[in-house]
Amino acid sequence: MDLDLEELIPQPASVKSDVLTLSFPNGCTVTLTVDSAVGCGGNYWPAGEVLATYLAHRGGLNGSKVLELGSGTGLVGLVAAKLGAEVLITDQLPLLNTMEKNIRLNELSGSVTALELNWGGPLPDIPLSGVSLLLAADCVYFEPAFPLLVRTLEELCRPNTEVLFCYKKRRKADKRFFSFLKKKFTWTQVLDDPGREIYCRQNITLLRLKLKPRLE
């Protein structure tokens, strides 16, 4: 049976296609095309906004190389680029056009690249040793993809890679994702976020993941 992701998770209130201007701490502003016609990834979601806000609050990304998984519109990665990082935003093929449009809207073609990346599939041909920060927001929603997401996180990580993972708890099935995740990662909650008290009440959690040592 084919599963429709839009039946599994609630859709945010938005028109089919629109252009939004979003403001974040420290004067960071992003112009964003949202388009529900390409599926749930064409909208922006609460955990993505939380992670983008945290990055803007923290700052300090000049010269960093950043990769975002499940980028959708590219919001989180675009904020990272506004903070001075070189960014790879990745998602499935139907989202590439939306991501590329948003790169152009924000005049970030020199610092952001959109790539197709299917969880569990081959990785793009990129120098992973240079990626210092891995980002993922609102990626816990489709249960069959849970082990694929963990596999891709593991393959992208190096011992010194910082991983920021933000998610909104929606269903009891989400616990299964963490049963897969704990086989490969440990994690702690990010505590230095001034918005934490607010978004925790919305069942949103921001985590810092650490790859467990690989057994020889």
Side-chain angles (χ1 to χ4, degrees):
M1 179 178 67
D2 293 332
L3 296 176
D4 185 345
L5 297 191
E6 296 184 13
E7 293 178 357
L8 296 178
I9 52 179
Q11 294 293 292
S14 69
V15 295
K16 181 177 180 181
S17 181
D18 201 1
V19 177
L20 310 174
T21 298
L22 304 175
S23 296
F24 297 93
N26 297 317
C28 182
T29 302
V30 171
T31 302
L32 198 69
T33 295
V34 295
D35 187 357
S36 58
V38 295
C40 57
N43 291 300
Y44 79 97
W45 294 86
E49 194 166 4
V50 166
L51 181 51
T53 300
Y54 174 70
L55 291 176
H57 167 75
R58 191 179 77 165
L61 290 180
N62 279 331
S64 300
K65 188 164 185 177
V66 175
L67 187 147
E68 184 190 4
L69 284 174
S71 302
T73 60
L75 172 61
V76 178
L78 294 172
V79 168
K82 294 270 186 171
L83 298 171
E86 179 186 350
V87 181
L88 301 168
I89 55 176
T90 69
D91 212 311
Q92 294 182 308
L93 184 60
L95 276 304
L96 276 181
N97 183 60
T98 299
M99 293 190 294
E100 290 170 349
K101 186 182 296 184
N102 285 328
I103 291 170
R104 293 191 297 270
L105 274 175
N106 290 277
E107 300 180 347
L108 290 171
S109 297
S111 56
V112 184
T113 302
L115 296 172
E116 179 184 1
L117 194 161
N118 298 298
W119 301 340
L123 297 179
D125 185 15
I126 52 177
L128 293 176
S129 59
V131 175
S132 59
L133 178 60
L134 184 60
L135 305 171
D138 263 320
C139 291
V140 180
Y141 55 83
F142 186 45
E143 195 169 347
F146 290 173
L148 305 180
L149 174 55
V150 173
R151 184 192 311 170
T152 297
L153 282 167
E154 181 190 17
E155 291 176 345
L156 288 170
C157 276
R158 297 297 178 265
N160 296 323
T161 306
E162 180 182 13
V163 185
L164 293 175
F165 190 94
C166 194
Y167 86 106
K168 179 178 176 67
K169 182 179 178 182
R170 295 187 174 91
R171 299 171 297 130
K172 291 181 179 180
D174 292 351
K175 291 181 179 179
R176 292 200 66 233
F177 170 76
F178 289 95
S179 71
F180 288 112
L181 188 67
K182 71 180 181 182
K183 296 176 183 178
K184 302 296 182 180
F185 290 87
T186 60
W187 58 86
T188 56
Q189 288 196 35
V190 172
L191 301 178
D192 63 333
D193 190 341
R196 181 172 177 267
E197 183 177 342
I198 296 172
Y199 63 70
C200 282
R201 294 199 297 265
Q202 302 168 0
N203 289 324
I204 296 174
T205 304
L206 177 55
L207 303 173
R208 182 173 282 110
L209 310 186
K210 184 174 179 58
L211 183 67
K212 290 182 177 180
R214 292 185 173 97
L215 298 177
E216 298 295 337

